[in-house]
Amino acid sequence: MRTTDSSTTRTTSTAGTGRGARTARTAGGTRSARTARTARAATAVAAALGVLALGGCGAAETGRSQYAGDDAKTVRLSVPSWVGAQANAAVAEYLLERELGYTVKTQQMGEVLAWDALSRGDVHAVLEDWGHPEQEKRYVGEKKTVVSGGDLGVTGHIGWFVPKYFADAHPDVTEWKNLHKYADQLATPESGGKGELLEGSPDYVTHDEALIRNLDLDLKTNYAGSEAAQITAIRKKAEDRKPFLTYWWTPQWLNSQVEMVEVKLPPYEEGCDADPEKIACAYPDTPLQKFLNADFAEKGGEAATFLKNFRWTTEQQNDVARMIAHEKLSPQEAAEKWVKGNEATWKTWLPR
């Protein structure tokens, strides 16, 4: 569900709402799907690589970390912009520091950049990956600089959603073939007379424009600008009981406050998203994965063991995400509150 490509290093967990699901929200490679691609996202990644790369071209291939001076008790985590991923990092940081005595440093960056940084050792772990088959093939399969850290325990899903009150009044709107009937009701000043498909950040990697084109739908994408802005727009429309159609995902804490119903797109089948220009199928379910730098996985001691063991449920992640995004707690405050109430869960993550 899926990001900003900032390379700013932070010594505390990244705050803000970010994306709840995520940028490239598709399963990949060994998880029976492929990541959707867009020219816009590729351009953003290429530009950001120039900022992050060490010493210019080829830095991602050197295997050297710019943080080589860190001691063995420092752990670096990549944190995507969406709030669910921030919840992972906040809880991991809190426990690594309070229970195991590590110093945790976090860095917000785009997902593809995170894979490059993970391979170099600039970050030690990515705790929520929505599927990047090209990077997984390169770094896990070929270069062997990254290894799997196991399942996060959360299954992600992307789709198109309408509010339940609208679906209750117009039950056939949940079939994609009927969306044209409601284009006028879904239209906004920004959609140019077509029905609006509300999107989040323009950095999210989606295949919605290809779907609209290939399914010949009377729709136009409109980007709110960020997950936070998209949530604000959804809540406002829901309060006013207005119809809307939005790109959305689960898990996401807002789903407990605004009830939405998924529109049935043509069913996902293996390989149906192989060509980004020809996609005409739904997004797949995505078991979210963790990945570790290979050297860290082998030599990272208790920290590496802890991150491999870190596994929680969608409900638990949503609890922390909701505290950060809705209750306006800092990530550290949310993590502390969750840890105090869930000892039976996190005790199983600690090295034995």
Side-chain angles (χ1 to χ4, degrees):
M1 195 244 174
R2 192 15 278 104
T3 61
T4 60
D5 290 303
S6 166
S7 58
T8 302
T9 302
R10 308 183 181 188
T11 57
T12 58
S13 295
T14 308
T17 56
R19 181 178 187 181
R22 338 338 104 212
T23 299
R25 296 307 215 201
T26 56
T30 59
R31 292 184 296 284
S32 304
R34 301 173 185 269
T35 304
R37 305 292 180 197
T38 65
R40 177 180 60 252
T43 301
V45 167
L49 278 172
V51 175
L52 185 65
L54 306 177
C57 297
E61 309 301 327
T62 65
R64 296 192 303 271
S65 170
Q66 70 185 105
Y67 305 113
D70 284 345
D71 62 39
K73 297 294 285 186
T74 297
V75 178
R76 291 187 172 272
L77 301 178
S78 170
V79 186
S81 67
W82 58 88
V83 71
Q86 292 166 12
N88 303 328
V91 171
E93 176 182 1
Y94 185 91
L95 290 169
L96 281 166
E97 293 189 339
R98 302 299 181 92
E99 294 294 324
L100 299 177
Y102 286 84
T103 297
V104 177
K105 298 182 180 181
T106 64
Q107 185 169 353
Q108 184 173 318
M109 63 180 71
E111 291 174 282
V112 174
L113 291 179
W115 273 90
D116 297 333
L118 194 60
S119 176
R120 290 193 301 269
D122 291 349
V123 296
H124 296 134
V126 170
L127 299 182
E128 183 174 318
D129 182 80
W130 281 70
H132 291 82
E134 294 179 9
Q135 284 70 31
E136 191 171 341
K137 178 182 178 181
R138 179 181 183 186
Y139 293 130
V140 178
E142 298 173 0
K143 294 176 66 65
K144 303 189 186 306
T145 51
V146 176
V147 299
S148 171
D151 289 345
L152 176 62
V154 177
T155 296
H157 177 73
I158 293 173
W160 293 1
F161 289 79
V162 294
K164 185 176 184 300
Y165 55 79
F166 189 58
D168 287 344
H170 307 281
D172 63 339
V173 75
T174 59
E175 296 287 341
W176 70 268
K177 292 181 180 180
N178 297 321
L179 286 173
H180 69 281
K181 293 168 55 176
Y182 301 99
D184 58 338
Q185 296 186 60
L186 297 170
T188 67
E190 293 77 24
S191 63
K194 297 178 179 290
E196 178 185 87
L197 175 59
L198 179 64
E199 305 274 355
S201 168
D203 289 330
Y204 293 174
V205 183
T206 80
H207 52 238
D208 291 347
E209 292 181 7
L211 276 170
I212 291 172
R213 181 178 63 254
N214 295 329
L215 296 178
D216 193 24
L217 296 174
D218 191 22
L219 300 174
K220 185 177 187 301
T221 57
N222 177 39
Y223 288 84
S226 67
E227 180 191 56
Q230 185 179 12
I231 288 172
T232 297
I234 288 173
R235 295 183 74 168
K236 174 62 172 151
K237 290 177 183 291
E239 288 171 3
D240 295 339
R241 306 290 286 183
K242 289 185 177 180
F244 64 86
L245 173 68
T246 187
Y247 164 95
W248 198 239
W249 54 88
T250 61
Q252 223 293 339
W253 63 270
L254 185 67
N255 296 330
S256 66
Q257 297 184 358
V258 178
E259 193 169 2
M260 290 184 266
V261 179
E262 186 169 6
V263 174
K264 296 176 183 177
L265 293 169
Y268 177 85
E269 296 179 359
E270 178 66 27
C272 70
D273 53 357
D275 186 342
E277 296 303 315
K278 296 181 180 179
I279 293 174
C281 60
Y283 294 88
D285 289 336
T286 307
L288 305 185
Q289 302 293 304
K290 299 171 294 179
F291 288 93
L292 308 180
N293 171 268
D295 286 342
F296 173 77
E298 180 181 356
K299 304 171 185 176
E302 290 186 328
T305 300
F306 169 83
L307 293 175
K308 293 173 187 176
N309 291 342
F310 186 109
R311 180 184 175 91
W312 60 354
T313 66
T314 296
E315 292 74 19
Q316 290 168 331
Q317 186 193 76
N318 276 341
D319 284 346
V320 179
R322 184 165 43 249
M323 285 188 265
I324 297 171
H326 183 59
E327 299 177 20
K328 304 304 180 184
L329 272 62
S330 71
Q332 294 77 19
E333 291 169 335
E336 180 177 13
K337 185 175 180 179
W338 184 87
V339 165
K340 288 181 177 178
N342 292 272
E343 184 173 346
T345 297
W346 61 260
K347 280 283 189 181
T348 64
W349 305 340
L350 300 179
R352 300 182 180 182

